[in-house]
C-alpha cells in the first residue's frame, strides 16, 4: 500500500514537473516568436529608410528637385555652352578608361525607348551606340579619387540640402572634391555617408551608353542599380535581416541621361519670333499651313480669327529675356502664354504646366480657329493642343566642330572661290536626265558620282520690279526710264537687287563614289585621294550654292515639280555645307531620291532615302538669291544661329511662286520670304512658303556633323522604373555586414 502511494506521488510529481516545463517552454516560444516578429517589423522599417535614401539619391540624379517654395530647381545641371569635350573627359574618367568614346564597344540593337514605336510602327534602334561596361557587366570602382568627378561637378550643391538630411550630405558639400568623394563612397562600399546602424545602401554603375536619340542629337545614359541594400531588425534576442537582390530586370534598372538636343525636331524653329529689329514678337499666324512641328523660344502671335493649321506639335518656351541672354550660365525666364495680335495672353504662375496649357488652349479657342494635329504629345498638354511651357532650345554658338571636320576628312573652300555647285552625275560629269515617276526618284547610271565644284563668283545687280527708293538726281538720271520715276517731292528708282553668279571655270573639282572615296580632277584625269569624304564643306563666306540647271520641264506656279530639277545630291550622298559668315542659295537643291512630304500619305519609301543635305551659318544669314528660279525646291535642313533665313530683295523682286522646302528651317530671327496683300492674302513679291518636315530627322538621322543645341538637358527613367523599386528577400545575419 505504502509502495502504491509513493509511486502515485512520484507520478503526480513527474506530471506536475512536465506540465511546468511545458508551460515554461510555451511561454519561451511565444516570447521568441513575439521577438522575431518585432525584429521583422523593425527590419522592414529600416528597409523603408534605406529605400527612402535611394529615392533621395535618384532625385539628385534627376532633372529637378523641389525647393521650400515648391518650385523646381535643376539637380543635374550642365551649363549652356559647356564643351562636349569637357563632358566626355569626365565621362571617360567615370568609365575608368582613356579609350575615346568613339572606340568603345558597339552596342548592337540598342533601343532607348522600347515602348514607344516610331511613325512606321517599328521600335527605334541605334545600332551604332557605344557602351562602357566591364567584364563583370558593370563599371568597376577604381583607385582614382576623382573617378566620380562627373557627378561631383554637375550636380548642384543646393540640391543635396533639399533632399538629404544634414548627416547624409557630403562632408565637403561646397567643393567638387567633397561631392566627388561622396559619390565614390556610395559606389565603392556599403560603409558610406548613407550607412546607418541597421541599414546599408551601395550603388552600382551598370553601364555608360552614348547614343543618338530617336529625335536626333547626342545622349549619354548612365544605368544604375542597387548593389547592396540590406536592413536589420534586432529585438530582445531576435535578429532579422532583409536584403535586396542584385537586380537585372529592366523594371529595376534605373538610369539618368544628359543630352544635347537635336536642332532638327521642327519644320520651323525660331529663337526670336519676330523680324530683326522688332521690339516684340510680331510674326502673325493667320491662315498658314505647317506640315511639321513648329517651335519658338519666345511667344507665338495669332491674328484675331486666325485659321492656321499645324500638322505637328506646336510649342513655345515663352522666354521674356532673350535680349539679355549673354552669359554662359543664362537660362530662359519663361512666362507661359501667347500674343493675340499685340496683346499678351498669360496665366497665373502658380498653375502647373499642364493646367496652364489647358487654360491657354481654352483661351486661344475663344479668339481663333487654329488647328493643332498632335495626337501623341510629348509635353505636359492634351492631345491636339499647343505646349506653351516647352523647353528653351539654345542655338549653337560656334562652328568649330564643323570646321575641324572639314579640315580633317572634309573639304575647305579654296582661296579665291566662294561658289559651290553640287550635282549627281555619270562618269562623264553629265547631270542625271531620267526621272522615274513611279518611284518618285531619278534613275542613276552605274557608276554615279557626287560632283563638287568650286567657282569664283562675281556680283550681278538688276533692278527690282516692286517698291521705290528715293535717290539723287544724278542716280535718277543714270537709271533706265523703265526703272525710275519722280514727283513733287523727289526722284526715285527701283531698288537694285544684287546676287552672286558663278564664274565660267571651276577653281577645283571633286567627285565622290558610292563608297565615299574622294577623287580630285587634275587636267582630264581623276586622282584618287586615298581617303573617304566625311561630307563636310567649310568656308568663311559662301556666296552661291547651286545644283544643276533645270531641264526645261514646265513648272506650274505654286507647285513643287520634281522632274524639272535634276538632283544636286546623289542617292548615297550626305553633306553639310557651312559658311561661317553666310551662305547664299542660288538654285534648286534637290535629291536623287527625295524624302516623302510629311502630308503625302501615299508616299511610303522603305527603306528611307539615304541622301541628306544641311546648310548652316553660325554668324551670318542663309539667304535665297533674288535671281533664283520660281517655285524653288530645297531638300535640306537650313540653319542660321545668329541671323535669319530669308530671300534677298524679297520686297523688290517679282512674285516667284513658293519656296518648297522638304526638311527643316532653324533661325535666330524670323526671316522674310516675300510680301502679300493683307486684304486678300495674295502674294505680291518674293516667294510664298511651302514647308514640309523631313520625318527622317525624328528617327535619329541628320546631315554629317550637324550642330546640336549647346543647352544640356537631363532626363531619367522615372516613367519606366524607380531606383528604390527593389526585390527584397529574407537574409541571414551574415548578409548584414
Amino acid at each position: 500500500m505504502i509502495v502504491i502511494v509513493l509511486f502515485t506521488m512520484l507520478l503526480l510529481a513527474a506530471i506536475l514537473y512536465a506540465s511546468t516545463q511545458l508551460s515554461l517552454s510555451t511561454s519561451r516560444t511565444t516570447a521568441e516568436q513575439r521577438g522575431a516578429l518585432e525584429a521583422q517589423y523593425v527590419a522592414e522599417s529600416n528597409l523603408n529608410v534605406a529605400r527612402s535614401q535611394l529615392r533621395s539619391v535618384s532625385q539628385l540624379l534627376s532633372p529637378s528637385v523641389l525647393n521650400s517654395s515648391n518650385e523646381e530647381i535643376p539637380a543635374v545641371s550642365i551649363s549652356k555652352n559647356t564643351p562636349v569635350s569637357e563632358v566626355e573627359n569626365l565621362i571617360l574618367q567615370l568609365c575608368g578608361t582613356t579609350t575615346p568614346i568613339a572606340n568603345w564597344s558597339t552596342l548592337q540593337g540598342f533601343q532607348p525607348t522600347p515602348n514607344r514605336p516610331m511613325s512606321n510602327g517599328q521600335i527605334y534602334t541605334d545600332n551604332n551606340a557605344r557602351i562602357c561596361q566591364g567584364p563583370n557587366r558593370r563599371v568597376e570602382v577604381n583607385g582614382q579619387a576623382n573617378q566620380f568627378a562627373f557627378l561631383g561637378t554637375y550636380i548642384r550643391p543646393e540640391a543635396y540640402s533639399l533632399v538629404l538630411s544634414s548627416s547624409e550630405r557630403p562632408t565637403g558639400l561646397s567643393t567638387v572634391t567633397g561631392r566627388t568623394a561622396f559619390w565614390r563612397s556610395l559606389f565603392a562600399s556599403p560603409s558610406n555617408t548613407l550607412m546607418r546602424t541597421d541599414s546599408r545602401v551601395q550603388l552600382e554603375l551598370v553601364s555608360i551608353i552614348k547614343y543618338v536619340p530617336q529625335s536626333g542629337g547626342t545622349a549619354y545614359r548612365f544605368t544604375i542599380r542597387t548593389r547592396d541594400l540590406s536592413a536589420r531588425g534586432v529585438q530582445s534576442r531576435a535578429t532579422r535581416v532583409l536584403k535586396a537582390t542584385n537586380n537585372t530586370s529592366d523594371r529595376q534598372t534605373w538610369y539618368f541621361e544628359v543630352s544635347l538636343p537635336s536642332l532638327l525636331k521642327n519644320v520651323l524653329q525660331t529663337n526670336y519670333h519676330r523680324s530683326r529689329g522688332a521690339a516684340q514678337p510680331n510674326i502673325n499666324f493667320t491662315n498658314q499651313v505647317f506640315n511639321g512641328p513648329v517651335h519658338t523660344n519666345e511667344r507665338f502671335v495669332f491674328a484675331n480669327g486666325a485659321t492656321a493649321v499645324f500638322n505637328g506639335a506646336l510649342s513655345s518656351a515663352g522666354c521674356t529675356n532673350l535680349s539679355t541672354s549673354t552669359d554662359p550660365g543664362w537660362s530662359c525666364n519663361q512666362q507661359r502664354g501667347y500674343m493675340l495680335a499685340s496683346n499678351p495672353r498669360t496665366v497665373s504662375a502658380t498653375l502647373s504646366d499642364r493646367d496652364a496649357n489647358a487654360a491657354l488652349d481654352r483661351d486661344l479657342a475663344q479668339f481663333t480657329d487654329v488647328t493643332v494635329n498632335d495626337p501623341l504629345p510629348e509635353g505636359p498638354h492634351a492631345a491636339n493642343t499647343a505646349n506653351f511651357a516647352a523647353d528653351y532650345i539654345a542655338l549653337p554658338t560656334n562652328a568649330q566642330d564643323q570646321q575641324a571636320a572639314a579640315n580633317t576628312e572634309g573639304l575647305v573652300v579654296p582661296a579665291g572661290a566662294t561658289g559651290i555647285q553640287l550635282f549627281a552625275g555619270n562618269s562623264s560629269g553629265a547631270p542625271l536626265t531620267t526621272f522615274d515617276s513611279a518611284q518618285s526618284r531619278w534613275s542613276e547610271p552605274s557608276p554615279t558620282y557626287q560632283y563638287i565644284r568650286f567657282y569664283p563668283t562675281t556680283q550681278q545687280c538688276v533692278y527690282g520690279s516692286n517698291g521705290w527708293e528715293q535717290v539723287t538726281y544724278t542716280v535718277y538720271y543714270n537709271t533706265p526710264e523703265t526703272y525710275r520715276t519722280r514727283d513733287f517731292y523727289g526722284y526715285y528708282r527701283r531698288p537694285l537687287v544684287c546676287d552672286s553668279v558663278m564664274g565660267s571655270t571651276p577653281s577645283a573639282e571633286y567627285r565622290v563614289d558610292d563608297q565615299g572615296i574622294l577623287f580630285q580632277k587634275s587636267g582630264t584625269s581623276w586622282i584618287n585621294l586615298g581617303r573617304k569624304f566625311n561630307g563636310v564643306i567649310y568656308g568663311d563666306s559662301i556666296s552661291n550654292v547651286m545644283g544643276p540647271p533645270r531641264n526645261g520641264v514646265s513648272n506650274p506656279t505654286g507647285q513643287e515639280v520634281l522632274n524639272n530639277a535634276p538632283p544636286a545630291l546623289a542617292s548615297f550622298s550626305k553633306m553639310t555645307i557651312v559658311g561661317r559668315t553666310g551662305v547664299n542659295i542660288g538654285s534648286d537643291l534637290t535629291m536623287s531620291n527625295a524624302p516623302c512630304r510629311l502630308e503625302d500619305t501615299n508616299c511610303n519609301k522603305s527603306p528611307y532615302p539615304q541622301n541628306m543635305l544641311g546648310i548652316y551659318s553660325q554668324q551670318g544669314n542663309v539667304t535665297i538669291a533674288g535671281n533664283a528660279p520660281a517655285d524653288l525646291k530645297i531638300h535640306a535642313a537650313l540653319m542660321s544661329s545668329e541671323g535669319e533665313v530669308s530671300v534677298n530683295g524679297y520686297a523688290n523682286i517679282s512674285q516667284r511662286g513658293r519656296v518648297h522646302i522638304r526638311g527643316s528651317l532653324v533661325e535666330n530671327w524670323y526671316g522674310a520670304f516675300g510680301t502679300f496683300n493683307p486684304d486678300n492674302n495674295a502674294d505680291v513679291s518674293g516667294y510664298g512658303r511651302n514647308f514640309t518636315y523631313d520625318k527622317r530627322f525624328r528617327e535619329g538621322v541628320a546631315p554629317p556633323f550637324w550642330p546640336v543645341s549647346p543647352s544640356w538637358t537631363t532626363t531619367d527613367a522615372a516613367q519606366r522604373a524607380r531606383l528604390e523599386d527593389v526585390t527584397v528577400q529574407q537574409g541571414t545575419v551574415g548578409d548584414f555586414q
Side-chain angles (χ1 to χ4, degrees):
M1 183 66 178
I2 295 173
V3 174
I4 295 172
V5 171
L6 288 174
F7 179 77
T8 302
M9 292 177 65
L10 286 172
L11 183 61
L12 289 172
I15 292 171
L16 180 62
Y17 176 79
S19 176
T20 302
Q21 291 301 311
L22 182 61
S23 177
L24 289 172
S25 175
T26 302
S27 177
R28 283 197 299 268
T29 301
T30 302
E32 288 174 358
Q33 288 176 338
R34 185 183 302 112
L37 229 93
E38 290 174 350
Q40 184 74 12
Y41 291 151
V42 172
E44 289 176 359
S45 177
N46 289 329
L47 184 74
N48 287 333
V49 170
R51 275 179 163 157
S52 176
Q53 291 176 317
L54 281 177
R55 189 179 308 116
S56 297
V57 169
S58 67
Q59 286 180 288
L60 287 175
L61 298 171
S62 296
S64 62
V65 294
L66 295 177
N67 64 15
S68 57
S69 302
N70 209 33
E71 299 170 333
E72 289 187 349
I73 69 163
V76 179
S77 178
I78 304 178
S79 297
K80 181 165 70 82
N81 296 328
T82 300
V84 172
S85 58
E86 176 183 312
V87 174
E88 289 199 344
N89 284 339
L90 291 177
I91 290 175
L92 290 176
Q93 219 166 266
L94 182 58
C95 178
T97 182
T98 57
T99 302
I101 294 179
N103 296 333
W104 285 3
S105 299
T106 302
L107 184 59
Q108 288 284 339
F110 178 60
Q111 296 179 336
T113 52
N115 299 320
R116 192 183 345 168
M118 296 186 293
S119 57
N120 60 6
Q122 298 179 357
I123 301 299
Y124 170 69
T125 303
D126 182 2
N127 285 311
N128 294 310
R130 303 290 173 169
I131 183 171
C132 169
Q133 189 177 62
N136 295 322
R137 300 186 65 80
R138 63 174 178 253
V139 177
E140 300 291 353
V141 178
N142 57 37
Q144 300 298 317
N146 62 354
Q147 181 180 1
F148 290 85
F150 177 90
L151 302 178
T153 301
Y154 295 132
I155 297 176
R156 294 177 62 165
E158 55 266 42
Y160 296 85
S161 301
L162 293 173
V163 301
L164 297 178
S165 67
S166 57
S167 63
E168 294 172 335
R169 296 170 198 160
T171 304
L173 178 58
S174 62
T175 66
V176 171
T177 301
R179 298 192 298 271
T180 299
F182 166 82
W183 287 104
R184 189 180 191 284
S185 74
L186 290 189
F187 286 89
S189 165
S191 301
N192 53 52
T193 309
L194 301 184
M195 181 181 71
R196 296 195 174 201
T197 303
D198 292 308
S199 65
R200 303 283 188 270
V201 172
Q202 182 184 359
L203 300 179
E204 183 171 79
L205 180 59
V206 179
S207 63
I208 306 172
I209 301 170
K210 179 181 180 181
Y211 73 97
V212 176
Q214 180 178 330
S215 58
T218 302
Y220 305 84
R221 177 174 292 187
F222 304 83
T223 307
I224 295 173
R225 65 187 175 200
T226 56
R227 182 168 182 174
D228 184 357
L229 178 64
S230 55
R232 178 179 62 184
V234 179
Q235 195 68 15
S236 300
R237 290 181 295 177
T239 300
R240 288 293 181 269
V241 172
L242 297 173
K243 68 174 185 176
T245 59
N246 194 357
N247 301 318
T248 56
S249 70
D250 179 70
R251 170 69 184 163
Q252 296 170 328
T253 303
W254 186 84
Y255 66 82
F256 75 96
E257 291 184 353
V258 296
S259 59
L260 287 171
S262 167
L263 289 170
L264 293 172
K265 291 184 176 182
N266 303 287
V267 70
L268 174 65
Q269 177 179 321
T270 60
N271 190 37
Y272 294 91
H273 198 69
R274 47 178 132 163
S275 53
R276 192 194 297 262
Q280 65 178 21
N282 66 341
I283 304 301
N284 277 276
F285 288 143
T286 54
N287 62 348
Q288 302 95 325
V289 176
F290 294 90
N291 290 306
V294 176
H295 174 85
T296 185
N297 282 333
E298 287 197 304
R299 292 180 186 165
F300 290 126
V301 184
F302 297 91
N304 210 324
T307 59
V309 176
F310 300 89
N311 292 317
L314 178 65
S315 61
S316 61
C319 295
T320 61
N321 60 332
L322 286 180
S323 60
T324 61
S325 59
T326 55
D327 64 290
W330 174 88
S331 61
C332 166
N333 179 22
Q334 291 181 275
Q335 189 175 30
R336 299 161 301 188
Y338 70 94
M339 298 188 69
L340 186 68
S342 59
N343 302 311
R345 309 289 296 181
T346 60
V347 293
S348 170
T350 61
L351 291 179
S352 69
D353 286 343
R354 183 168 292 278
D355 289 342
N357 279 324
L360 288 166
D361 181 65
R362 290 191 298 269
D363 188 72
L364 182 64
Q366 292 183 57
F367 302 103
T368 72
D369 288 318
V370 168
T371 300
V372 179
N373 293 313
D374 182 20
L376 298 172
E378 295 180 356
H381 59 108
N384 301 320
T385 64
N387 180 9
F388 298 101
D391 290 336
Y392 164 75
I393 304 175
L395 299 183
T397 57
N398 63 71
Q400 294 173 358
D401 290 344
Q402 293 72 36
Q403 184 177 13
N407 282 324
T408 52
E409 295 183 340
L411 291 172
V412 176
V413 177
T418 58
I420 304 172
Q421 185 187 34
L422 309 173
F423 66 94
N426 61 20
S427 57
S428 300
L432 305 188
T433 58
T434 304
F435 185 78
D436 185 341
S437 298
Q439 299 294 322
S440 188
R441 59 179 297 170
W442 291 81
S443 299
E444 294 185 344
S446 182
T448 291
Y449 294 93
Q450 174 64 57
Y451 285 86
I452 305 166
R453 292 175 177 170
F454 295 102
Y455 286 88
T457 62
T458 57
Q459 195 173 69
Q460 183 181 81
C461 299
V462 298
Y463 292 101
S465 57
N466 288 286
W468 298 97
E469 62 181 3
Q470 191 166 13
V471 294
T472 64
Y473 172 76
T474 301
V475 173
Y476 167 82
Y477 180 78
N478 290 314
T479 300
E481 289 187 12
T482 306
Y483 304 107
R484 70 185 188 187
T485 189
R486 68 179 188 174
D487 60 17
F488 178 79
Y489 299 99
Y491 301 93
Y492 308 88
R493 73 169 185 184
R494 295 291 189 189
L496 286 172
V497 179
C498 301
D499 294 297
S500 294
V501 295
M502 299 285 199
S504 57
T505 304
S507 302
E509 188 171 359
Y510 298 85
R511 73 182 186 186
V512 183
D513 67 14
D514 60 0
Q515 300 302 306
I517 304 299
L518 183 66
F519 300 81
Q520 183 173 13
K521 193 170 187 181
S522 177
T524 58
S525 302
W526 289 96
I527 308 302
N528 187 332
L529 296 184
R531 66 177 176 90
K532 289 191 173 184
F533 175 52
N534 65 11
V536 181
I537 300 175
Y538 181 90
D540 186 59
S541 178
I542 299 173
S543 61
N544 201 350
V545 179
M546 300 185 71
R550 289 186 174 180
N551 57 16
V553 174
S554 63
N555 194 137
T557 301
Q559 295 185 24
E560 182 190 29
V561 176
L562 294 182
N563 64 352
N564 74 338
L569 260 65
S571 62
F572 53 81
S573 189
K574 297 181 177 68
M575 297 181 65
T576 294
I577 297 175
V578 182
R580 183 178 62 85
T581 61
V583 181
N584 292 344
I585 298 171
S587 77
D588 302 302
L589 294 172
T590 62
M591 304 288 170
S592 177
N593 188 10
C596 296
R597 294 188 64 86
L598 186 70
E599 67 275 20
D600 185 358
T601 56
N602 294 321
C603 180
N604 182 24
K605 294 190 175 184
S606 182
Y608 286 139
Q610 297 301 303
N611 39 200
M612 187 166 287
L613 175 63
I615 296 177
Y616 165 52
S617 178
Q618 170 57 41
Q619 299 178 8
N621 301 321
V622 175
T623 306
I624 295 168
N627 61 4
D631 284 294
L632 188 69
K633 292 169 276 289
I634 301 175
H635 301 165
L638 308 178
M639 181 162 65
S640 170
S641 287
E642 298 178 24
E644 63 187 17
V645 180
S646 61
V647 173
N648 184 33
Y650 69 90
N652 307 124
I653 61 177
S654 61
Q655 213 292 311
R656 306 283 179 81
R658 299 179 177 182
V659 174
H660 304 271
I661 292 180
R662 297 191 184 195
S664 174
L665 190 155
V666 180
E667 56 192 343
N668 189 37
W669 303 93
Y670 195 103
F673 277 44
T675 63
F676 70 99
N677 185 337
D679 294 331
N680 57 14
N681 287 327
D683 293 325
V684 174
S685 67
Y687 294 88
R689 301 171 187 245
N690 179 24
F691 296 175
T692 190
Y693 183 61
D694 187 342
K695 63 184 178 182
R696 296 179 298 171
F697 296 154
R698 277 270 174 168
E699 300 183 0
V701 294
F705 294 89
W706 191 250
V708 293
S709 171
S711 292
W712 292 86
T713 63
T714 307
T715 56
D716 62 25
Q719 294 182 348
R720 290 175 51 190
R722 296 184 302 178
L723 186 58
E724 67 268 23
D725 287 343
V726 293
T727 301
V728 179
Q729 63 187 31
Q730 204 71 40
T732 65
V733 174
D735 291 323
F736 189 86
Q737 301 295 332

